[in-house]
Short mmCIF file of all heavy atoms in Angstrom, two decimals:
data_model
loop_
_atom_site.label_atom_id
_atom_site.label_comp_id
_atom_site.label_asym_id
_atom_site.label_seq_id
_atom_site.Cartn_x
_atom_site.Cartn_y
_atom_site.Cartn_z
N MET A 259 -7.02 12.57 7.31
CA MET A 259 -8.29 12.79 6.63
C MET A 259 -8.36 14.16 5.96
O MET A 259 -9.09 14.33 5.00
CB MET A 259 -9.46 12.62 7.60
CG MET A 259 -9.62 11.20 8.10
SD MET A 259 -9.66 9.96 6.79
CE MET A 259 -11.20 10.33 6.01
N TYR A 260 -7.60 15.13 6.43
CA TYR A 260 -7.62 16.44 5.83
C TYR A 260 -6.37 16.71 4.99
O TYR A 260 -6.13 17.83 4.59
CB TYR A 260 -7.81 17.53 6.90
CG TYR A 260 -9.18 17.45 7.50
CD1 TYR A 260 -9.37 16.91 8.77
CD2 TYR A 260 -10.30 17.87 6.78
CE1 TYR A 260 -10.65 16.81 9.31
CE2 TYR A 260 -11.57 17.77 7.32
CZ TYR A 260 -11.73 17.24 8.58
OH TYR A 260 -12.99 17.13 9.11
N SER A 261 -5.62 15.66 4.74
CA SER A 261 -4.44 15.79 3.90
C SER A 261 -4.85 15.57 2.44
O SER A 261 -5.64 14.68 2.15
CB SER A 261 -3.39 14.76 4.30
OG SER A 261 -2.36 14.71 3.35
N TYR A 262 -4.31 16.36 1.54
CA TYR A 262 -4.62 16.16 0.12
C TYR A 262 -3.92 14.92 -0.44
O TYR A 262 -4.17 14.50 -1.54
CB TYR A 262 -4.26 17.41 -0.70
CG TYR A 262 -2.80 17.73 -0.75
CD1 TYR A 262 -2.00 17.27 -1.79
CD2 TYR A 262 -2.21 18.52 0.25
CE1 TYR A 262 -0.66 17.56 -1.84
CE2 TYR A 262 -0.86 18.82 0.20
CZ TYR A 262 -0.10 18.34 -0.84
OH TYR A 262 1.24 18.63 -0.89
N ARG A 263 -3.04 14.33 0.37
CA ARG A 263 -2.31 13.13 -0.06
C ARG A 263 -2.87 11.83 0.52
O ARG A 263 -2.29 10.79 0.31
CB ARG A 263 -0.85 13.25 0.36
CG ARG A 263 -0.11 14.34 -0.31
CD ARG A 263 1.36 14.28 0.07
NE ARG A 263 2.01 15.50 -0.31
CZ ARG A 263 2.76 16.23 0.48
NH1 ARG A 263 2.98 15.85 1.71
NH2 ARG A 263 3.31 17.33 0.05
N SER A 264 -3.96 11.87 1.26
CA SER A 264 -4.43 10.68 1.97
C SER A 264 -4.71 9.50 1.03
O SER A 264 -4.30 8.38 1.30
CB SER A 264 -5.66 11.00 2.82
OG SER A 264 -6.71 11.49 2.02
N TYR A 265 -5.38 9.76 -0.10
CA TYR A 265 -5.67 8.66 -1.03
C TYR A 265 -4.38 8.12 -1.65
O TYR A 265 -4.24 6.91 -1.86
CB TYR A 265 -6.63 9.11 -2.14
CG TYR A 265 -8.01 9.43 -1.63
CD1 TYR A 265 -8.49 10.72 -1.66
CD2 TYR A 265 -8.83 8.43 -1.11
CE1 TYR A 265 -9.76 11.02 -1.19
CE2 TYR A 265 -10.09 8.71 -0.64
CZ TYR A 265 -10.56 10.01 -0.68
OH TYR A 265 -11.81 10.30 -0.21
N LEU A 266 -3.44 8.99 -1.91
CA LEU A 266 -2.15 8.56 -2.46
C LEU A 266 -1.38 7.72 -1.43
O LEU A 266 -0.78 6.71 -1.78
CB LEU A 266 -1.34 9.78 -2.89
CG LEU A 266 -0.09 9.52 -3.69
CD1 LEU A 266 -0.41 8.77 -4.98
CD2 LEU A 266 0.61 10.83 -4.01
N ILE A 267 -1.43 8.11 -0.17
CA ILE A 267 -0.78 7.34 0.89
C ILE A 267 -1.39 5.96 1.00
O ILE A 267 -0.69 4.95 1.11
CB ILE A 267 -0.84 8.10 2.23
CG1 ILE A 267 0.03 9.35 2.17
CG2 ILE A 267 -0.44 7.21 3.40
CD1 ILE A 267 -0.18 10.32 3.32
N TRP A 268 -2.73 5.89 0.94
CA TRP A 268 -3.40 4.59 1.01
C TRP A 268 -3.05 3.72 -0.20
O TRP A 268 -2.86 2.51 -0.07
CB TRP A 268 -4.91 4.76 1.13
CG TRP A 268 -5.34 5.27 2.47
CD1 TRP A 268 -4.70 5.07 3.67
CD2 TRP A 268 -6.48 6.05 2.76
NE1 TRP A 268 -5.40 5.70 4.67
CE2 TRP A 268 -6.49 6.31 4.15
CE3 TRP A 268 -7.50 6.58 1.98
CZ2 TRP A 268 -7.49 7.04 4.77
CZ3 TRP A 268 -8.49 7.31 2.60
CH2 TRP A 268 -8.49 7.54 3.97
N ALA A 269 -2.93 4.33 -1.38
CA ALA A 269 -2.54 3.58 -2.57
C ALA A 269 -1.13 3.04 -2.42
O ALA A 269 -0.86 1.88 -2.76
CB ALA A 269 -2.65 4.47 -3.81
N LEU A 270 -0.22 3.85 -1.90
CA LEU A 270 1.15 3.39 -1.70
C LEU A 270 1.23 2.30 -0.63
O LEU A 270 2.02 1.35 -0.77
CB LEU A 270 2.06 4.57 -1.34
CG LEU A 270 2.29 5.57 -2.47
CD1 LEU A 270 3.05 6.79 -1.96
CD2 LEU A 270 3.01 4.92 -3.63
N CYS A 271 0.41 2.40 0.41
CA CYS A 271 0.35 1.34 1.42
C CYS A 271 -0.11 0.03 0.79
O CYS A 271 0.46 -1.03 1.06
CB CYS A 271 -0.59 1.71 2.56
SG CYS A 271 0.09 2.89 3.73
N ASP A 272 -1.12 0.10 -0.06
CA ASP A 272 -1.60 -1.12 -0.74
C ASP A 272 -0.56 -1.69 -1.68
O ASP A 272 -0.39 -2.90 -1.78
CB ASP A 272 -2.91 -0.84 -1.48
CG ASP A 272 -4.12 -0.87 -0.57
OD1 ASP A 272 -3.95 -1.14 0.64
OD2 ASP A 272 -5.24 -0.63 -1.06
N LEU A 273 0.17 -0.82 -2.37
CA LEU A 273 1.24 -1.29 -3.25
C LEU A 273 2.33 -1.99 -2.44
O LEU A 273 2.80 -3.07 -2.81
CB LEU A 273 1.83 -0.12 -4.04
CG LEU A 273 3.01 -0.46 -4.95
CD1 LEU A 273 2.59 -1.45 -6.02
CD2 LEU A 273 3.60 0.80 -5.56
N PHE A 274 2.72 -1.40 -1.33
CA PHE A 274 3.74 -2.00 -0.47
C PHE A 274 3.28 -3.36 0.05
O PHE A 274 4.03 -4.34 0.00
CB PHE A 274 4.08 -1.06 0.69
CG PHE A 274 5.05 -1.63 1.67
CD1 PHE A 274 6.40 -1.73 1.34
CD2 PHE A 274 4.63 -2.11 2.90
CE1 PHE A 274 7.32 -2.29 2.24
CE2 PHE A 274 5.53 -2.66 3.79
CZ PHE A 274 6.88 -2.75 3.47
N ILE A 275 2.04 -3.43 0.53
CA ILE A 275 1.53 -4.70 1.06
C ILE A 275 1.38 -5.73 -0.05
O ILE A 275 1.59 -6.92 0.16
CB ILE A 275 0.22 -4.48 1.83
CG1 ILE A 275 0.52 -3.73 3.11
CG2 ILE A 275 -0.50 -5.78 2.14
CD1 ILE A 275 1.55 -4.41 4.02
N LEU A 276 1.03 -5.29 -1.25
CA LEU A 276 0.95 -6.21 -2.39
C LEU A 276 2.31 -6.85 -2.65
O LEU A 276 2.40 -8.06 -2.85
CB LEU A 276 0.45 -5.46 -3.62
CG LEU A 276 0.26 -6.28 -4.89
CD1 LEU A 276 -0.75 -7.40 -4.68
CD2 LEU A 276 -0.18 -5.38 -6.03
N VAL A 277 3.36 -6.05 -2.61
CA VAL A 277 4.71 -6.59 -2.79
C VAL A 277 5.05 -7.56 -1.65
O VAL A 277 5.61 -8.64 -1.88
CB VAL A 277 5.75 -5.45 -2.89
CG1 VAL A 277 7.17 -5.97 -2.83
CG2 VAL A 277 5.52 -4.64 -4.16
N VAL A 278 4.70 -7.20 -0.41
CA VAL A 278 4.96 -8.07 0.73
C VAL A 278 4.21 -9.39 0.57
O VAL A 278 4.78 -10.47 0.80
CB VAL A 278 4.57 -7.37 2.06
CG1 VAL A 278 4.57 -8.33 3.22
CG2 VAL A 278 5.52 -6.20 2.32
N ILE A 279 2.95 -9.34 0.16
CA ILE A 279 2.16 -10.56 -0.05
C ILE A 279 2.80 -11.43 -1.13
O ILE A 279 2.89 -12.65 -0.98
CB ILE A 279 0.69 -10.20 -0.43
CG1 ILE A 279 -0.03 -9.51 0.71
CG2 ILE A 279 -0.07 -11.43 -0.91
CD1 ILE A 279 -0.24 -10.33 1.94
N LEU A 280 3.24 -10.81 -2.21
CA LEU A 280 3.89 -11.58 -3.28
C LEU A 280 5.18 -12.23 -2.79
O LEU A 280 5.51 -13.36 -3.20
CB LEU A 280 4.15 -10.69 -4.49
CG LEU A 280 2.90 -10.24 -5.26
CD1 LEU A 280 3.27 -9.20 -6.31
CD2 LEU A 280 2.18 -11.42 -5.87
N LEU A 281 5.90 -11.57 -1.91
CA LEU A 281 7.12 -12.16 -1.35
C LEU A 281 6.80 -13.29 -0.38
O LEU A 281 7.47 -14.33 -0.38
CB LEU A 281 7.97 -11.09 -0.66
CG LEU A 281 8.65 -10.09 -1.58
CD1 LEU A 281 9.31 -8.98 -0.77
CD2 LEU A 281 9.66 -10.78 -2.48
N ILE A 282 5.78 -13.09 0.45
CA ILE A 282 5.40 -14.11 1.43
C ILE A 282 4.95 -15.39 0.72
O ILE A 282 5.31 -16.49 1.13
CB ILE A 282 4.28 -13.60 2.37
CG1 ILE A 282 4.82 -12.53 3.31
CG2 ILE A 282 3.64 -14.74 3.15
CD1 ILE A 282 3.74 -11.81 4.12
N ALA A 283 4.15 -15.23 -0.33
CA ALA A 283 3.55 -16.39 -0.99
C ALA A 283 4.16 -16.67 -2.35
O ALA A 283 3.50 -17.22 -3.24
CB ALA A 283 2.05 -16.16 -1.12
N LYS A 284 5.43 -16.32 -2.53
CA LYS A 284 6.04 -16.47 -3.86
C LYS A 284 6.11 -17.92 -4.34
O LYS A 284 6.04 -18.16 -5.53
CB LYS A 284 7.43 -15.84 -3.87
CG LYS A 284 8.44 -16.55 -3.02
CD LYS A 284 9.78 -15.87 -3.07
CE LYS A 284 10.71 -16.54 -2.10
NZ LYS A 284 11.92 -15.82 -1.87
N ASN A 285 6.19 -18.87 -3.45
CA ASN A 285 6.28 -20.28 -3.85
C ASN A 285 4.94 -21.00 -3.78
O ASN A 285 4.90 -22.22 -3.91
CB ASN A 285 7.30 -21.01 -2.97
CG ASN A 285 8.69 -20.46 -3.16
OD1 ASN A 285 9.06 -20.05 -4.26
ND2 ASN A 285 9.46 -20.43 -2.09
N LYS A 286 3.87 -20.27 -3.58
CA LYS A 286 2.54 -20.88 -3.46
C LYS A 286 1.73 -20.62 -4.72
O LYS A 286 1.63 -19.50 -5.18
CB LYS A 286 1.77 -20.31 -2.25
CG LYS A 286 2.47 -20.52 -0.94
CD LYS A 286 2.52 -21.98 -0.60
CE LYS A 286 3.26 -22.16 0.70
NZ LYS A 286 3.77 -23.48 0.89
#
C-alpha cells in the first residue's frame, strides 16, 4: 500500500490473469 509501484503491480497481475483466462478458455 505504501509502494509507488502498487497500481503497476495490480495492472501486471490483471494482465497475467487475462492471459491465463484466454489460455483456459481458448476453445470456448
Side-chain angles (χ1 to χ4, degrees):
M259 293 309 292
Y260 292 104
S261 170
Y262 66 93
R263 295 186 193 129
S264 59
Y265 293 113
L266 190 59
I267 292 168
W268 288 331
L270 291 173
C271 283
D272 279 358
L273 177 62
F274 176 74
I275 290 304
L276 182 60
V277 170
V278 169
I279 294 295
L280 291 172
L281 289 173
I282 290 171
K284 67 181 175 192
N285 296 327
K286 301 293 179 201

